[in-house]
Amino acid sequence: MIFALMDTDGDGKLSVQEWQAAQERIFKAMDSDKDGFVSLQEMENFMGGAGTRFPPSRE
């Protein structure tokens, strides 16, 4: 499904332009305050793991 969303021209292959466009859409979705940067908190919120760290701490 992710591949199909990235393959915008439907040719069954991803071009570097399609890949970059998909990454840009993901970045913009993570940048919740639209400041042009993605903070760790924004990334965690986007990934559904607010309050978790990667890699997990070994406490």
Side-chain angles (χ1 to χ4, degrees), residues 51 53 55-59:
R53 299 278 181 203
S57 64
R58 296 181 180 217
E59 299 177 78

Side-chain angles (χ1 to χ4, degrees), residues 13-31:
K13 302 178 281 188
L14 293 180
S15 68
V16 70
Q17 292 83 11
E18 288 171 317
W19 177 263
Q20 290 170 336
Q23 298 306 308
E24 187 173 341
R25 288 192 303 272
I26 293 167
F27 182 92
K28 287 179 178 180
M30 284 192 289
D31 184 16

Side-chain angles (χ1 to χ4, degrees), residues 3-49:
F3 185 91
L5 291 171
M6 294 172 72
D7 182 20
T8 56
D9 63 8
D11 68 355
K13 302 178 281 188
L14 293 180
S15 68
V16 70
Q17 292 83 11
E18 288 171 317
W19 177 263
Q20 290 170 336
Q23 298 306 308
E24 187 173 341
R25 288 192 303 272
I26 293 167
F27 182 92
K28 287 179 178 180
M30 284 192 289
D31 184 16
S32 60
D33 62 8
K34 307 302 179 206
D35 67 352
F37 299 92
V38 173
S39 68
L40 176 58
Q41 186 64 51
E42 286 172 317
M43 184 176 283
E44 289 174 343
N45 290 344
F46 180 83
M47 301 298 241

